[in-house]
Amino acid sequence: MSEVQKKKFVLSRLSLSRLEGVHPDLVKVVKRAIEITLQDFLVVEGIRTEEQCYINYGKGRTWEQCTAKGVPAKYAQPKLAKVTWLTNPLSSKHVTGKAVDLVPYPVDWNDLSKFNQVAQAMFAAAKELGVSIRWGADWDNDGKYREKGEYDSPHFEI
Ligand SMILES: [Zn+2]
């Protein structure tokens, strides 16, 4: 028996359900990534509805800022922390099924090294399958993680 046995991870039923409607190339990459990853992860979001985009955009913004971008005023929640920096509230690739958000499991938002491990598996899987992906913690793919504007460690898109 080999001394180092890689732990096997599988996508939970919930994670699989969140891949419904996501572009098949990206689904393939996620499914391969879970097989090779050293860090278990779950899918927290795939397809995002318009309403969810509005909810996200409203966080940390006033009604004036919302309505200026066509987001109904009722979604404004200026006291909450901002979660999106999109110029156009609806331009997220989640709307078209070309993005997924993955979070290390057990969930720990503070340990960024675990997000890096998930990314490593995603990039290895993408390469193997010939799919080109971008990661929200390294948009320009220069290997320098979390430069200015690269705040979205869970986010992968095609
Ligand atoms: Zn995302």
Side-chain angles (χ1 to χ4, degrees), residues 1-149:
M1 211 173 109
S2 70
E3 63 286 15
V4 183
Q5 282 254 306
K6 191 185 110 36
K7 263 203 204 160
K8 276 209 184 296
F9 299 115
V10 288
L11 291 171
S12 67
R13 198 177 286 247
L14 185 60
S15 284
L16 286 169
S17 74
R18 287 170 176 160
L19 290 176
E20 273 168 33
V22 172
H23 192 285
D25 283 351
L26 190 51
V27 172
K28 267 194 308 194
V29 173
V30 175
K31 286 184 170 171
R32 181 61 184 141
I34 196 72
E35 292 172 356
I36 59 177
T37 186
L38 299 173
Q39 168 62 54
D40 196 6
F41 63 81
L42 55 93
V43 181
V44 293
E45 193 166 22
I47 283 273
R48 187 177 297 161
T49 61
E50 259 183 39
E51 166 149 56
Q52 192 60 51
C53 291
Y54 289 156
I55 291 170
N56 292 352
Y57 197 79
K59 289 182 181 170
R61 289 189 176 85
T62 62
W63 69 266
E64 291 97 330
Q65 290 170 317
C66 285
T67 50
K69 293 288 186 167
V71 174
K74 67 171 179 179
Y75 293 103
Q77 299 190 77
K79 287 180 182 160
L80 298 185
K82 221 179 240 196
V83 297
T84 175
W85 286 263
L86 291 173
T87 313
N88 171 356
L90 294 178
S91 72
S92 167
K93 288 215 171 182
H94 284 283
V95 177
T96 52
K98 291 189 172 168
V100 289
D101 292 339
L102 309 177
V103 171
Y105 183 83
V107 178
D108 178 0
W109 289 93
N110 297 314
D111 188 349
L112 294 175
S113 70
K114 292 183 179 168
F115 284 89
N116 296 353
Q117 279 192 313
V118 174
Q120 235 171 41
M122 281 294 285
F123 278 107
K127 193 174 173 196
E128 193 184 307
L129 295 163
V131 176
S132 137
I133 59 167
R134 288 173 85 208
W135 180 29
D138 190 19
W139 291 117
D140 56 6
N141 203 15
D142 66 355
K144 292 182 204 144
Y145 304 162
R146 303 179 186 89
E147 294 177 296
K148 192 169 184 291

